[in-house]
Amino acid sequence: MTAITDRDGLAGAEAGFLAATPGFEETAVLDDLRATEYARLDARGDVYLDYTGGSLYAASQVEEHHRMLREGVYGNPHSVNPTSSAASALVDRARAAVLRAFDAPEDEYVCIFTPNATGALKLVGEGYPWRPRDRFLATFDNHNSVNGIREFARRGGASTAYVPVEAPDLRVAESTLREHLESGAECAHHLFAYPAQSNFSGVKHPLEWIVLAHEHGWDVMLDCAAFAPTSRLDLSVFKPDFVSVSFYKMFGYPTGLGALIARRRTIERLERPWFSGGTVVAANVQGDLVVPHSGHAQFEDGTVDYLGIPAVEIGLRHIERIGIDTISRRVEGLGSWLLAELQQLRHSDGSPATCLYGPPAWDRRGGTIAFNFLHPDGRVVDERYVDVVAAQHDISIRTGCFCNPGAGEIAFSLTKEMLTEHEFAVGMILDDYIEEVGLPSGGAIRVSLGIATNFADVYRFMAFAEEFRDVADVPDGLPPRLGC
Ligand SMILES: Cc1ncc(COP(=O)(O)O)c(C=O)c1O
């Protein structure tokens, strides 16, 4: 077993890594920031590897935001008084900064602030003009916040369909996608939703699908929640109709804010199910009048988070100073190393100690790696035990199904029959259902890299992974699983 604090081992491994990873030294600015902006990680001894769950904020982001709050006076932007105007100006600046960050032309796109990516997806799902003969198409590989759109579609009488991903890489076969897109020809409205990057496998699905789907008459919802934190999205080149992001996944702070970046011409077709304060030019009671705002204002219910939104501009500036391409390169270098090391991990008898879900090499993928540890006899190590050992080493990772059941169903070879034969009966807990379906564990382990990851993090993770070599069994009494 490699000791997790083995500094000599770390220095030697890092030298080998640097020699084998040309160009990585160009990301050294992130080592400097790790020692300053993210110093709390090493001060606490934390190994943070859950960036797809949420990124980390730089200390200066919080300081700048707090300075703004301490020094300014800001009122509700729904007025025109001086403090209200001050808040409106900051919100408008942040809105423009979001569009700039994604190279979205202002005459083509609007930025609608939402509580998170889920809020953005819900705005589209509930407002899309679903009618009988319309269709909602999604890839198996999607977050539940995209899957949930099917409920709105069905309520409007539309049909729903899924394009499968294929094991072991968990990518979509383009010929299958084409068949699905062609089959929508007779629909009046049809929406295709997919993630630019999988929050399960790290697969980057092609942005070229946007063009393909448009050629077949589909509107496109591109979920960028897992993609945007470490990849460049250029909306002057690829033009999805809707883009969802969560800002805490991009730069850690503030939580509670995301955006729907939407094409002006497509949001005109959305039908809001209600109106509220902030979304109307005029409304009255006796005359039943409602005159909705146009653009972003029609979609931002009530008072926006006018003190939090300026922190979005601060976060975007932080990313811009580093450069998103530098972050991408960093994650690619460290992720490639970790991906290879994990797959090489063997028990003493030579049997594999891990099982990877998703692309085995760094090809069209991001820094999200899903896998399970295996016992020497090939059984999956209970992910709850992995959580227990990780916590002992101050390692933060994610375990479970990551709210992405479709990718998991393919990764774990679950068929429709297996899933429809068994019901989640009243009184059952998740563990009962997992046993009923015959799953070997509650999902997988997810390690994800981001802005502040350094070589020591992935090295310490591999030292921890070594502890699973030759583990024949896990202890009893692991906590019950409460959700996936
Ligand atoms: C790909 C993807 N889409 C959507 C979401 C939902 O994001 P939020 O929980 O911030 O609304 C997530 C969250 O992990 C995600 O990874």
Side-chain angles (χ1 to χ4, degrees):
M1 188 185 99
T2 313
I4 288 185
T5 52
D6 177 356
R7 288 278 152 202
D8 292 345
L10 168 60
E14 186 161 20
F17 162 75
L18 289 172
T21 316
F24 189 78
E25 66 283 355
E26 287 159 28
T27 71
V29 62
L30 287 166
D31 285 312
D32 300 340
L33 294 182
R34 171 68 179 247
T36 52
E37 295 278 22
Y38 303 95
R40 63 191 187 279
L41 277 169
D42 295 315
R44 296 175 48 88
D46 276 313
V47 175
Y48 186 81
L49 290 168
D50 189 20
Y51 286 87
T52 302
S55 188
L56 298 179
Y57 50 84
S60 65
Q61 282 173 248
V62 181
E63 284 155 13
E64 192 176 339
H65 188 222
H66 283 186
R67 197 165 45 246
M68 179 213 108
L69 296 176
R70 274 201 314 270
E71 293 173 5
V73 182
Y74 302 103
N76 187 313
H78 288 162
S79 288
V80 290
N81 63 52
T83 52
S84 169
S85 303
S88 294
L90 290 180
V91 170
D92 289 347
R93 262 179 36 192
R95 206 184 292 287
V98 172
L99 293 178
R100 265 198 319 278
F102 296 109
D103 292 304
E106 282 209 31
D107 57 347
E108 254 182 287
Y109 281 95
V110 288
C111 164
I112 299 162
F113 284 115
T114 60
N116 43 34
T118 300
L121 293 158
K122 187 173 179 210
L123 277 180
V124 176
E126 73 179 6
Y128 203 75
W130 303 111
R131 307 276 188 272
R133 291 183 50 240
D134 292 348
R135 183 164 303 162
F136 173 57
L137 177 67
T139 46
F140 265 49
D141 182 7
N142 257 314
H143 192 273
N144 268 338
S145 298
V146 174
N147 289 326
I149 293 177
R150 74 186 185 209
E151 305 298 319
F152 288 117
R154 284 177 188 158
R155 194 172 297 175
S159 63
T160 62
Y162 275 107
V163 194
V165 292
E166 295 179 0
D169 278 17
L170 304 181
R171 293 190 201 277
V172 170
E174 194 153 308
S175 54
T176 315
L177 174 63
R178 277 178 189 277
E179 279 168 29
H180 278 276
L181 292 176
E182 281 159 15
S183 75
E186 76 286 359
C187 306
H189 299 108
H190 29 330
L191 178 66
F192 171 46
Y194 74 99
Q197 180 174 317
S198 171
N199 72 320
F200 186 105
S201 64
V203 161
K204 285 186 176 174
H205 297 292
L207 296 177
E208 288 76 10
W209 288 353
I210 298 164
V211 180
L212 186 67
H214 280 163
E215 280 169 5
H216 287 85
W218 292 74
D219 295 322
V220 178
M221 169 85 230
L222 188 70
D223 179 12
C224 289
F227 177 87
T230 59
S231 303
R232 180 177 293 283
L233 177 67
D234 184 340
L235 293 175
S236 70
V237 177
F238 291 104
K239 297 185 180 295
D241 298 277
F242 307 107
V243 173
S244 50
V245 290
S246 276
F247 293 116
Y248 73 94
K249 288 187 190 289
M250 294 175 68
F251 35 78
Y253 176 87
T255 53
L257 274 168
L260 173 64
I261 303 165
R263 257 180 133 176
R264 288 180 186 275
R265 71 174 194 210
T266 318
I267 57 164
E268 277 169 19
R269 284 196 273 123
L270 296 189
E271 297 167 354
R272 292 232 62 199
W274 77 323
F275 66 93
S276 65
T279 67
V280 289
V281 177
N284 64 35
V285 174
Q286 298 183 74
D288 217 19
L289 175 82
V290 183
V291 182
H293 272 301
S294 59
H296 64 82
Q298 196 188 344
F299 295 89
E300 291 175 348
D301 290 330
T303 302
V304 293
D305 180 0
Y306 60 92
L307 293 182
I309 287 172
V312 169
E313 189 190 355
I314 294 168
L316 289 170
R317 263 204 308 273
H318 176 66
I319 300 288
E320 195 185 350
R321 274 195 295 267
I322 299 165
I324 190 76
D325 298 327
T326 302
I327 300 169
S328 285
R329 210 171 316 136
R330 177 84 164 184
V331 165
E332 174 171 354
L334 296 170
S336 305
W337 183 88
L338 183 58
L339 198 55
E341 291 285 316
L342 273 175
Q343 291 174 90
Q344 282 159 22
L345 197 66
R346 291 279 181 281
H347 295 294
S348 307
D349 64 4
S351 59
T354 59
C355 165
L356 180 77
Y357 309 112
W362 204 274
D363 169 30
R364 293 165 292 148
R365 64 164 300 144
T368 302
I369 301 173
F371 70 100
N372 269 316
F373 288 113
L374 300 177
H375 293 294
D377 61 8
R379 281 176 305 119
V380 168
V381 175
D382 192 310
E383 86 288 353
R384 292 170 299 176
Y385 179 60
V386 179
D387 268 333
V388 170
V389 183
Q392 287 164 1
H393 293 297
D394 296 319
I395 291 177
S396 294
I397 49 174
R398 174 88 182 257
T399 57
C401 84
F402 327 131
C403 298
N404 187 331
E409 286 161 29
I410 302 297
F412 310 132
S413 308
L414 295 177
T415 61
K416 183 171 182 174
E417 291 67 39
M418 288 162 82
L419 292 167
T420 48
E421 258 169 30
H422 306 280
E423 62 170 329
F424 201 124
V426 178
M428 270 181 152
I429 62 166
L430 184 60
D431 282 335
D432 302 327
Y433 182 69
I434 286 170
E435 197 178 322
E436 179 90 14
V437 173
L439 271 169
S441 78
I445 298 153
R446 185 180 76 185
V447 179
S448 51
L449 283 57
I451 191 164
T453 310
N454 66 7
F455 184 77
D457 291 331
V458 289
Y459 179 82
R460 281 179 66 187
F461 184 80
M462 277 317 298
F464 149 81
E466 294 260 350
E467 292 200 15
F468 292 88
R469 293 183 63 212
D470 300 329
V471 170
D473 249 314
V474 299
D476 292 333
L478 293 168
R481 300 177 181 95
L482 300 175
C484 89

